[in-house]
């Protein structure tokens, strides 16, 4: 069969990070706004759902065509070989978005797409009614500048839902963003890592998974595991490959603290669920009292803002404390994501690098203060 056209969706600002992950997995990529395109086979649907740390979803690109009218949308969707994917009893809801297009009514577009898929499947299965009580196939129509992109979602619940976090603190950092912050830093598993505002521990757990090369999707399931078109042996093969790739043969130097005892309780429960009980140290402590141990370590943190802090004065105080703390850690590097434009002023110096990211809908900067790299022997 010909190669499938696949899409890894990316949070705004993280397209290059997702592309780098795919490149490291062996795929050639094309980067667009909000997504990274690549080619693969059925096995690659399995592998990418298991391995991608910073993407939200893995989609199959079913078709793309001009659609200025409902007739064009209907005929374009109907021309797609849906019978190759959706069995007679498959459930196929339709989701949609429209931007800068003549077809502005998303519900109407969803209805047209649904009708076109039904008409196509009627021809294949010789039936007038579909029970839709089988495997789930979420179809999405995205209209942009009068071009319709039709996709099939292989992931289900977004990839940030790893399965280890049962409860979370207010305004938690998504697992995908936490993994991106780690990957954008210079940290590796042989260096100490400290998070003085650890909340429910997401940054540290994601760091542990990266250090030990644990595929983030190993603890969860995906709707495409139940699709007849993807043989179960391919999922077994992908999971076996992921299990074989784990390298947990060295100790981790991961520490987190938070002023909220309940947050530490949540963090310890999440670490235990993820398989890192005893590997990550958590303690109740104010950020100002953080005392990282070791040399050439990294502080990576998502300090409080918005819902998590009462006023800007507290932000200023905390950021100044970070700057003072780093004066006593000359070999360490410091990384923080924050929406506050005065962060560098409060911290006491300009960041070595800055990168615009979106934490949810909040525009932030990832402030990076790079210390010396460890000697090659470390």
């Amino acid at each position: 069969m010909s190669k499938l056209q696949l899409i890894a969706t990316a949070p705004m600002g993280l397209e290059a990070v997702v592309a780098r992950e795919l490149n490291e997995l062996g795929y050639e990529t094309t980067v667009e706004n909000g997504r990274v395109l690549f080619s693969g086979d059925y096995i690659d649907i399995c592998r990418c759902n298991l391995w991608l740390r910073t993407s939200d979803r893995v989609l199959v690109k079913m078709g793309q065509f001009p659609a200025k009218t409902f007739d064009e949308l209907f005929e374009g969707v109907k021309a797609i070989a849906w019978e190759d994917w959706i069995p007679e009893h498959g459930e196929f809801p339709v989701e949609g978005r429209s931007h800068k297009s003549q077809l502005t009514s998303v519900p109407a577009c969803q209805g047209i797409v649904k009708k076109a898929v039904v008409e196509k499947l009627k021809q294949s299965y010789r039936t007038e009614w579909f029970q839709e009580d089988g495997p789930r196939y979420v179809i999405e129509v995205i209209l942009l500048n009068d071009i319709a992109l039709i996709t099939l979602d292989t992931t289900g619940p977004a990839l940030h839902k790893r399965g280890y976090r049962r409860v979370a603190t207010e305004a938690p950092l998504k697992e995908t963003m936490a993994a991106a912050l780690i990957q954008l830093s210079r940290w590796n598993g042989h260096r100490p890592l400290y998070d003085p505002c650890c909340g429910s521990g997401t940054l540290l757990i994601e760091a542990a998974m990266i250090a030990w090369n644990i595929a983030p999707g190993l603890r969860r399931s995906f709707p495409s595991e139940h699709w007849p078109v993807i043989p179960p042996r391919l999922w077994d093969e992908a999971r076996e490959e992921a299990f074989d790739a784990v390298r947990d043969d060295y100790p981790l130097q991961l520490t987190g603290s938070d002023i909220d005892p309940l947050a530490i309780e949540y963090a310890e429960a999440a670490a235990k669920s993820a398989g890192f009980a005893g590997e990550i140290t958590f303690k109740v402590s104010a950020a100002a009292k953080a005392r990282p141990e070791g040399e050439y370590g990294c502080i990576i943190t998502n300090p409080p803002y918005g819902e998590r802090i009462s006023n800007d004065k507290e932000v200023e105080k905390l950021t100044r404390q970070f700057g003072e703390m780093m004066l006593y850690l000359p070999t360490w590097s410091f990384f923080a994501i924050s929406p506050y434009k005065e962060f560098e002023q409060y911290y006491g110096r300009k960041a070595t690098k800055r990168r615009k990211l979106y934490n949810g809908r909040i525009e932030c900067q990832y402030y990076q203060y790079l210390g010396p790299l460890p000697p090659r022997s470390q």
Side-chain angles (χ1 to χ4, degrees):
M1 62 171 257
S2 59
K3 288 280 189 180
L4 304 173
Q5 297 302 304
L6 302 174
I7 299 171
T9 64
M12 194 179 306
L14 293 183
E15 292 91 346
V17 181
V18 173
R20 186 172 67 187
E21 281 197 75
L22 285 164
N23 295 156
E24 290 174 352
L25 289 170
Y27 303 100
E28 295 183 4
T29 58
T30 301
V31 177
E32 298 181 355
N33 287 335
R35 53 184 177 243
V36 182
L37 283 61
F38 63 107
S39 299
D41 298 318
Y42 295 131
I43 183 65
D44 300 301
I45 291 175
C46 311
R47 292 184 70 231
C48 291
N49 273 304
L50 291 177
W51 278 105
L52 287 177
R53 300 181 190 278
T54 58
S55 174
D56 288 324
R57 299 181 183 282
V58 179
L59 311 175
V60 181
K61 181 179 177 180
M62 301 298 293
Q64 189 169 18
F65 49 85
K68 293 183 178 180
T69 67
F70 287 132
D71 284 343
E72 288 179 332
L73 180 61
F74 180 89
E75 294 300 332
V77 173
K78 189 179 177 185
I80 295 170
W82 295 104
E83 68 277 9
D84 291 347
W85 290 87
I86 303 175
E88 184 174 351
H89 297 289
E91 178 189 5
F92 48 102
V94 178
E95 298 178 354
R97 286 180 283 156
S98 179
H99 185 62
K100 296 182 179 178
S101 294
Q102 294 186 46
L103 298 179
T104 58
S105 172
V106 172
C109 291
Q110 290 172 268
I112 291 293
V113 171
K114 181 77 174 187
K115 182 179 178 182
V117 176
V118 168
E119 290 303 313
K120 185 60 177 284
L121 294 180
K122 279 182 180 180
Q123 296 175 0
S124 299
Y125 297 121
R126 307 298 184 200
T127 181
E128 292 296 314
W129 175 256
F130 294 95
Q131 196 69 31
E132 294 199 51
D133 57 0
R136 185 174 173 85
Y137 299 78
V138 177
I139 300 166
E140 184 174 41
V141 51
I142 302 172
L143 288 155
L144 176 62
N145 296 322
D146 294 321
I147 301 295
L149 172 65
I150 311 297
T151 64
L152 202 55
D153 178 16
T154 74
T155 299
L159 288 172
H160 77 269
K161 297 188 177 180
R162 316 285 207 222
Y164 61 74
R165 190 164 68 177
R166 300 289 184 262
V167 289
T169 53
E170 286 186 11
L173 191 69
K174 277 187 178 180
E175 291 84 341
T176 42
M177 177 58 75
L181 299 184
I182 299 294
Q183 293 187 15
L184 289 169
S185 77
R186 300 195 301 184
W187 179 81
N188 64 54
H190 298 285
R191 300 173 68 177
L193 174 61
Y194 195 107
D195 181 357
C197 306
C198 70
S200 48
T202 306
L203 264 165
L204 295 160
I205 295 169
E206 290 298 316
M209 295 175 72
I210 290 170
W212 281 2
N213 201 40
I214 297 173
L218 269 177
R219 304 180 61 83
R220 56 163 290 177
S221 61
F222 305 92
S224 48
E225 290 183 61
H226 306 289
W227 293 2
V229 73
I230 304 178
R233 64 176 176 79
L234 296 183
W235 283 100
D236 294 340
E237 180 182 325
R239 289 185 185 278
E240 184 176 350
E241 175 191 52
F243 278 117
D244 289 345
V246 174
R247 50 171 191 266
D248 56 357
D249 55 349
Y250 62 89
L252 301 172
Q253 305 170 73
L254 304 176
T255 307
S257 59
D258 199 283
I259 198 169
D260 182 359
L262 188 59
I264 294 300
E265 185 179 321
Y266 290 165
E268 290 175 336
K272 181 178 180 180
S273 177
F276 297 110
E279 299 293 341
I280 306 173
T281 301
F282 292 105
K283 55 189 176 185
V284 178
S285 174
K289 296 182 178 180
R291 296 295 181 266
E293 297 180 359
E295 298 290 327
Y296 302 101
C298 294
I299 291 176
I300 306 177
T301 193
N302 173 36
Y305 50 84
E307 299 174 20
R308 298 165 61 214
I309 201 162
S310 59
N311 58 60
D312 289 356
K313 285 292 183 184
E314 291 184 43
V315 174
E316 178 179 350
K317 180 181 177 182
L318 179 60
T319 309
R320 291 188 187 279
Q321 289 169 344
F322 286 146
E324 292 166 4
M325 176 176 62
M326 293 307 294
L327 294 175
Y328 299 97
L329 297 168
T331 66
W332 281 60
S333 299
F334 179 85
F335 305 85
I337 183 171
S338 174
Y340 289 98
K341 301 188 186 311
E342 302 85 359
F343 187 94
E344 291 167 306
Q345 176 187 335
Y346 298 158
Y347 186 87
R349 60 188 173 96
K350 290 280 188 182
T352 313
K353 293 181 180 179
R354 294 196 313 178
R355 187 186 187 108
K356 184 165 74 172
L357 298 174
Y358 286 83
N359 188 11
R361 295 175 179 264
I362 302 173
E363 181 180 324
C364 298
Q365 291 287 335
Y366 189 36
Y367 296 96
Q368 304 167 62
Y369 294 86
L370 305 181
L373 289 170
R376 289 188 178 274
S377 60
Q378 289 189 253

